[in-house]
Amino acid sequence: MDFDALISGLDRHTLDGITRGSIYALVALGYTMVYGVMKLINFAHSEVFMVGTWTVLGVYTVIGATAGMGLGTVIAATLLALLAAMLASAGTALAVERIAYRPLRKKGAPPLIFLITGIGCSMVLVETFGQVLRAIFGPPFGRVTVNIPSVLETRTVFTIPGLDLAVSNTRILIIVGAVVMMVALDTFVNKSRLGRGVRAVAQDPDTASLMGVNQERVIMLVFVLGGAMAGVAALLYTVQYDITKFDIGFIIGLKAFTAAVLGGIGNLRGALVGGLFLGIVEVYASAVWDSSWTNVYAFVVLVVILMFRPTGLLGESLGKARA
Amino acid sequence: MSQIAAAYRGLRIRDRWDSAPKPLHWLATLLVVAFAFYLPYLNILPFAYIRTDLTSSGSDWASVLFLVVVYMIVAVGLNVVIGLAGLLDLGYVGFYALGAYSIALFGSTESPVVQAMQSKFGLSEEWAVPFAACIPIAICMSLVAGVFLGAPTLRLRGDYLAIVTLGFGEIIRITARNLDDVTGGAKGIINVPTPPGPEIDGRAFFNTIDAERWYWLALSILILIIWLARRLENSRVGRAWLAIREDEDAAAVMGVAGFKFKLWAFAIGATLGGLAGLLFGSKQQYVEPNAFMVQLSFLFVAMVVIGGSGNIYGALLGAFLLTYLPERFREFVDWRPFAFGVALVLVMILRPQGLVPSRRRAREFEDRRHEAEEAAADV
């Protein structure tokens, strides 16, 4: 145990934790919205994120973006990659819904079956990027870690005086980007007409359909929104870590789902709280003990929180949100 | 009416079987068991084509049979948890790993735990806990782990339970990987003990080459477990599980102590998982953390669900298919996970109740389907 390491680097660790937590939170939105509306864990959501990271790589490769371009080009390339990742991830999420969930919903299958088809879809997606695309296109696909060009070079923007904490442009982008997306989504769900439909279906699907809410359309909307958020998360992840891999989604998805449960699954603001909380706890615990145990800390925190607050920190509330 | 008739068509063979006289049951069971014991030597064309060692890169037939049976034990255990009690356990591999590691930790002379005991009590360097004593240790460890995991988490609802158990499986694996001083870390532990037996041709009775002996051992254990599990299913405990699975609140109102029985299911499932892991570790004579990835948990769940959750024979069939088919078609080894994923989705969409559903489950499912159709017609 090394509390000194934690205390001496508290500011740095906090910043690390918030960065990591923002990405968890964005991915967690996909889980939490689908859970809120359909009461099921979309197990393929982690792979929706994975597709997003590969799309970013694809866009950068196609337009030939590398480090050291002019500011205007960097912004254009990043925005293009962002848009492409959002579209690809949303499309993947929608496809998963179509293939794996819709036929089962028509048959009224028990929840366990949705989980299995979700796992099946997740495996197919993983293997597509690990094996199938390699057979067709060759490398960079395959079971190795692939580098993504760091188009946005990390630069220290300002130093917080007194703390001696250097804040880089990438971190600002990640944290601000994540928070802006989350606020936008929260506003959309709470204020817009479509968002009201989402809340109505989450609260009571039968009554909502009597009131003229098209349930199928709401479900599609939820998958598209969740997928798009995973796409944003994918871009931010590549900005911070510069890599992707065929199974990159697994651990991120696991953490994001943990974050969603921590905050209270089905609760949009809970995803933010849970994500940031998990990110910070992980970084702190890794500083105090050993970073090879990071995943263990995450799950232990989850179990402890659930023991005392069985519905997460903020409780379930997508359906109960006041209009 | 025709709809209902169509729905029950799949069950007609089973009805006919149920109404057959008892001696016929016994005879058929005996024949199946005899055939199962004979399987490693199967050499009659065209049946011999089911062997996995026909191609040049094929794997040893008896070893595959052994693995199938070990996974069948897993499936029977997980069927108690998922199929009967309706608890979604995604961390079952954790118990499996605990079983394998407990025999390695206490039975192997290479294990740091045994070496620590040797120096503490001044024992010789060949000393280790004997195989027979490792079995109760493994059972105790997985049982305790089951209760330890279940006690705080079983009050959670289904999906919460899924993620917590998933986390548990990961915790076990990471612990095994990182605790170098106890588990040997990523290197694992060699010299895992095997059951005792006479030497034949200068080799131990249970060795790495003659896998059919391992298969017979595992098969005998499996048959015993199937018998016990069927007794359990039809007991008061089994009925309580079904009640909880169908409607926990209603069951609680009727006086079924939900938590207690769920914990029972968890503990029994954990024990069987540990036992299967023990057999696996002992046969390999080598245990390492990478053998217990979370993906294996998904495979276990898929076995139970594809076969037909809630029906012990469905779980057995699922375990057989998902273990045997990939081994038989080894030449497509790279495409295995892909095909597995596609198969999971297809089978579940075409037959959500599983290949051999439990009769009660099939009826419930039919009800739900009608409800869904009616709801769709109303809108």
Side-chain angles (χ1 to χ4, degrees), chain A residues 176-193:
Chain A
V176 171
V179 170
V180 165
M181 289 316 290
M182 299 198 72
V183 170
L185 185 70
D186 195 63
T187 317
F188 177 79
V189 170
N190 280 318
K191 296 279 166 20
S192 75
R193 210 181 132 76

PDB file of all heavy atoms in Angstrom, chain A residues 176-193:
ATOM      1  N   VAL A 176     -14.506  17.770 -22.110  1.00  0.00           N
ATOM      2  CA  VAL A 176     -15.540  18.690 -22.604  1.00  0.00           C
ATOM      3  C   VAL A 176     -16.441  17.978 -23.606  1.00  0.00           C
ATOM      4  O   VAL A 176     -17.674  18.085 -23.546  1.00  0.00           O
ATOM      5  CB  VAL A 176     -14.883  19.945 -23.224  1.00  0.00           C
ATOM      6  CG1 VAL A 176     -15.933  20.792 -23.932  1.00  0.00           C
ATOM      7  CG2 VAL A 176     -14.183  20.747 -22.154  1.00  0.00           C
ATOM      8  N   GLY A 177     -15.827  17.219 -24.515  1.00  0.00           N
ATOM      9  CA  GLY A 177     -16.616  16.501 -25.513  1.00  0.00           C
ATOM     10  C   GLY A 177     -17.623  15.572 -24.864  1.00  0.00           C
ATOM     11  O   GLY A 177     -18.805  15.566 -25.225  1.00  0.00           O
ATOM     12  N   ALA A 178     -17.172  14.798 -23.897  1.00  0.00           N
ATOM     13  CA  ALA A 178     -18.066  13.844 -23.235  1.00  0.00           C
ATOM     14  C   ALA A 178     -19.185  14.574 -22.522  1.00  0.00           C
ATOM     15  O   ALA A 178     -20.358  14.200 -22.642  1.00  0.00           O
ATOM     16  CB  ALA A 178     -17.272  12.980 -22.263  1.00  0.00           C
ATOM     17  N   VAL A 179     -18.838  15.626 -21.798  1.00  0.00           N
ATOM     18  CA  VAL A 179     -19.867  16.321 -21.022  1.00  0.00           C
ATOM     19  C   VAL A 179     -20.880  16.982 -21.956  1.00  0.00           C
ATOM     20  O   VAL A 179     -22.093  16.895 -21.738  1.00  0.00           O
ATOM     21  CB  VAL A 179     -19.216  17.358 -20.070  1.00  0.00           C
ATOM     22  CG1 VAL A 179     -20.272  18.250 -19.454  1.00  0.00           C
ATOM     23  CG2 VAL A 179     -18.431  16.649 -18.989  1.00  0.00           C
ATOM     24  N   VAL A 180     -20.395  17.588 -23.055  1.00  0.00           N
ATOM     25  CA  VAL A 180     -21.312  18.227 -23.997  1.00  0.00           C
ATOM     26  C   VAL A 180     -22.278  17.192 -24.583  1.00  0.00           C
ATOM     27  O   VAL A 180     -23.501  17.409 -24.643  1.00  0.00           O
ATOM     28  CB  VAL A 180     -20.523  18.934 -25.127  1.00  0.00           C
ATOM     29  CG1 VAL A 180     -21.441  19.290 -26.289  1.00  0.00           C
ATOM     30  CG2 VAL A 180     -19.855  20.181 -24.582  1.00  0.00           C
ATOM     31  N   MET A 181     -21.745  16.042 -24.982  1.00  0.00           N
ATOM     32  CA  MET A 181     -22.612  15.013 -25.561  1.00  0.00           C
ATOM     33  C   MET A 181     -23.651  14.544 -24.551  1.00  0.00           C
ATOM     34  O   MET A 181     -24.809  14.314 -24.891  1.00  0.00           O
ATOM     35  CB  MET A 181     -21.788  13.811 -26.031  1.00  0.00           C
ATOM     36  CG  MET A 181     -20.939  14.023 -27.258  1.00  0.00           C
ATOM     37  SD  MET A 181     -21.743  14.892 -28.600  1.00  0.00           S
ATOM     38  CE  MET A 181     -22.926  13.698 -29.154  1.00  0.00           C
ATOM     39  N   MET A 182     -23.214  14.395 -23.306  1.00  0.00           N
ATOM     40  CA  MET A 182     -24.146  13.897 -22.293  1.00  0.00           C
ATOM     41  C   MET A 182     -25.225  14.914 -21.989  1.00  0.00           C
ATOM     42  O   MET A 182     -26.397  14.559 -21.841  1.00  0.00           O
ATOM     43  CB  MET A 182     -23.393  13.531 -21.023  1.00  0.00           C
ATOM     44  CG  MET A 182     -22.397  12.438 -21.296  1.00  0.00           C
ATOM     45  SD  MET A 182     -21.850  11.622 -19.829  1.00  0.00           S
ATOM     46  CE  MET A 182     -23.267  10.720 -19.392  1.00  0.00           C
ATOM     47  N   VAL A 183     -24.829  16.177 -21.917  1.00  0.00           N
ATOM     48  CA  VAL A 183     -25.835  17.211 -21.656  1.00  0.00           C
ATOM     49  C   VAL A 183     -26.817  17.267 -22.820  1.00  0.00           C
ATOM     50  O   VAL A 183     -28.033  17.362 -22.630  1.00  0.00           O
ATOM     51  CB  VAL A 183     -25.147  18.581 -21.428  1.00  0.00           C
ATOM     52  CG1 VAL A 183     -26.178  19.698 -21.390  1.00  0.00           C
ATOM     53  CG2 VAL A 183     -24.357  18.552 -20.130  1.00  0.00           C
ATOM     54  N   ALA A 184     -26.263  17.176 -24.044  1.00  0.00           N
ATOM     55  CA  ALA A 184     -27.138  17.220 -25.214  1.00  0.00           C
ATOM     56  C   ALA A 184     -28.137  16.073 -25.184  1.00  0.00           C
ATOM     57  O   ALA A 184     -29.343  16.263 -25.413  1.00  0.00           O
ATOM     58  CB  ALA A 184     -26.294  17.148 -26.489  1.00  0.00           C
ATOM     59  N   LEU A 185     -27.653  14.870 -24.857  1.00  0.00           N
ATOM     60  CA  LEU A 185     -28.542  13.717 -24.820  1.00  0.00           C
ATOM     61  C   LEU A 185     -29.586  13.868 -23.724  1.00  0.00           C
ATOM     62  O   LEU A 185     -30.768  13.586 -23.925  1.00  0.00           O
ATOM     63  CB  LEU A 185     -27.723  12.440 -24.604  1.00  0.00           C
ATOM     64  CG  LEU A 185     -28.547  11.169 -24.659  1.00  0.00           C
ATOM     65  CD1 LEU A 185     -29.021  10.903 -26.064  1.00  0.00           C
ATOM     66  CD2 LEU A 185     -27.766   9.975 -24.152  1.00  0.00           C
ATOM     67  N   ASP A 186     -29.134  14.319 -22.574  1.00  0.00           N
ATOM     68  CA  ASP A 186     -30.040  14.494 -21.442  1.00  0.00           C
ATOM     69  C   ASP A 186     -31.142  15.494 -21.802  1.00  0.00           C
ATOM     70  O   ASP A 186     -32.314  15.270 -21.530  1.00  0.00           O
ATOM     71  CB  ASP A 186     -29.248  14.985 -20.229  1.00  0.00           C
ATOM     72  CG  ASP A 186     -30.036  14.838 -18.953  1.00  0.00           C
ATOM     73  OD1 ASP A 186     -30.356  13.687 -18.605  1.00  0.00           O
ATOM     74  OD2 ASP A 186     -30.357  15.867 -18.334  1.00  0.00           O
ATOM     75  N   THR A 187     -30.736  16.608 -22.444  1.00  0.00           N
ATOM     76  CA  THR A 187     -31.718  17.597 -22.864  1.00  0.00           C
ATOM     77  C   THR A 187     -32.685  16.999 -23.875  1.00  0.00           C
ATOM     78  O   THR A 187     -33.900  17.198 -23.801  1.00  0.00           O
ATOM     79  CB  THR A 187     -31.008  18.812 -23.489  1.00  0.00           C
ATOM     80  OG1 THR A 187     -29.880  19.126 -22.686  1.00  0.00           O
ATOM     81  CG2 THR A 187     -31.930  20.000 -23.585  1.00  0.00           C
ATOM     82  N   PHE A 188     -32.115  16.245 -24.811  1.00  0.00           N
ATOM     83  CA  PHE A 188     -32.952  15.640 -25.847  1.00  0.00           C
ATOM     84  C   PHE A 188     -34.014  14.737 -25.230  1.00  0.00           C
ATOM     85  O   PHE A 188     -35.190  14.820 -25.578  1.00  0.00           O
ATOM     86  CB  PHE A 188     -32.069  14.853 -26.820  1.00  0.00           C
ATOM     87  CG  PHE A 188     -32.835  14.132 -27.884  1.00  0.00           C
ATOM     88  CD1 PHE A 188     -33.310  14.817 -28.984  1.00  0.00           C
ATOM     89  CD2 PHE A 188     -33.094  12.777 -27.779  1.00  0.00           C
ATOM     90  CE1 PHE A 188     -34.031  14.167 -29.956  1.00  0.00           C
ATOM     91  CE2 PHE A 188     -33.815  12.120 -28.745  1.00  0.00           C
ATOM     92  CZ  PHE A 188     -34.283  12.818 -29.845  1.00  0.00           C
ATOM     93  N   VAL A 189     -33.567  13.870 -24.306  1.00  0.00           N
ATOM     94  CA  VAL A 189     -34.518  12.916 -23.731  1.00  0.00           C
ATOM     95  C   VAL A 189     -35.538  13.630 -22.846  1.00  0.00           C
ATOM     96  O   VAL A 189     -36.705  13.271 -22.810  1.00  0.00           O
ATOM     97  CB  VAL A 189     -33.762  11.820 -22.946  1.00  0.00           C
ATOM     98  CG1 VAL A 189     -34.723  10.966 -22.139  1.00  0.00           C
ATOM     99  CG2 VAL A 189     -32.979  10.949 -23.906  1.00  0.00           C
ATOM    100  N   ASN A 190     -35.109  14.680 -22.154  1.00  0.00           N
ATOM    101  CA  ASN A 190     -36.009  15.317 -21.204  1.00  0.00           C
ATOM    102  C   ASN A 190     -36.875  16.408 -21.817  1.00  0.00           C
ATOM    103  O   ASN A 190     -37.914  16.751 -21.269  1.00  0.00           O
ATOM    104  CB  ASN A 190     -35.211  15.895 -20.035  1.00  0.00           C
ATOM    105  CG  ASN A 190     -34.849  14.812 -19.047  1.00  0.00           C
ATOM    106  OD1 ASN A 190     -35.673  13.962 -18.732  1.00  0.00           O
ATOM    107  ND2 ASN A 190     -33.611  14.808 -18.604  1.00  0.00           N
ATOM    108  N   LYS A 191     -36.446  16.982 -22.939  1.00  0.00           N
ATOM    109  CA  LYS A 191     -37.171  18.141 -23.458  1.00  0.00           C
ATOM    110  C   LYS A 191     -37.892  17.880 -24.777  1.00  0.00           C
ATOM    111  O   LYS A 191     -38.959  18.422 -25.014  1.00  0.00           O
ATOM    112  CB  LYS A 191     -36.192  19.324 -23.638  1.00  0.00           C
ATOM    113  CG  LYS A 191     -35.585  19.827 -22.338  1.00  0.00           C
ATOM    114  CD  LYS A 191     -36.556  20.733 -21.641  1.00  0.00           C
ATOM    115  CE  LYS A 191     -36.272  21.059 -20.197  1.00  0.00           C
ATOM    116  NZ  LYS A 191     -34.970  20.912 -19.646  1.00  0.00           N
ATOM    117  N   SER A 192     -37.323  17.039 -25.629  1.00  0.00           N
ATOM    118  CA  SER A 192     -37.889  16.949 -26.975  1.00  0.00           C
ATOM    119  C   SER A 192     -39.092  16.010 -27.016  1.00  0.00           C
ATOM    120  O   SER A 192     -39.350  15.246 -26.086  1.00  0.00           O
ATOM    121  CB  SER A 192     -36.829  16.472 -27.960  1.00  0.00           C
ATOM    122  OG  SER A 192     -36.631  15.100 -27.774  1.00  0.00           O
ATOM    123  N   ARG A 193     -39.823  16.057 -28.117  1.00  0.00           N
ATOM    124  CA  ARG A 193     -40.992  15.220 -28.317  1.00  0.00           C
ATOM    125  C   ARG A 193     -40.591  13.743 -28.403  1.00  0.00           C
ATOM    126  O   ARG A 193     -41.191  12.886 -27.766  1.00  0.00           O
ATOM    127  CB  ARG A 193     -41.638  15.651 -29.625  1.00  0.00           C
ATOM    128  CG  ARG A 193     -43.111  15.477 -29.683  1.00  0.00           C
ATOM    129  CD  ARG A 193     -43.597  15.922 -31.049  1.00  0.00           C
ATOM    130  NE  ARG A 193     -44.479  14.895 -31.585  1.00  0.00           N
ATOM    131  CZ  ARG A 193     -45.723  14.726 -31.167  1.00  0.00           C
ATOM    132  NH1 ARG A 193     -46.227  15.500 -30.236  1.00  0.00           N
ATOM    133  NH2 ARG A 193     -46.470  13.772 -31.673  1.00  0.00           N
TER     134      ARG A 193
END
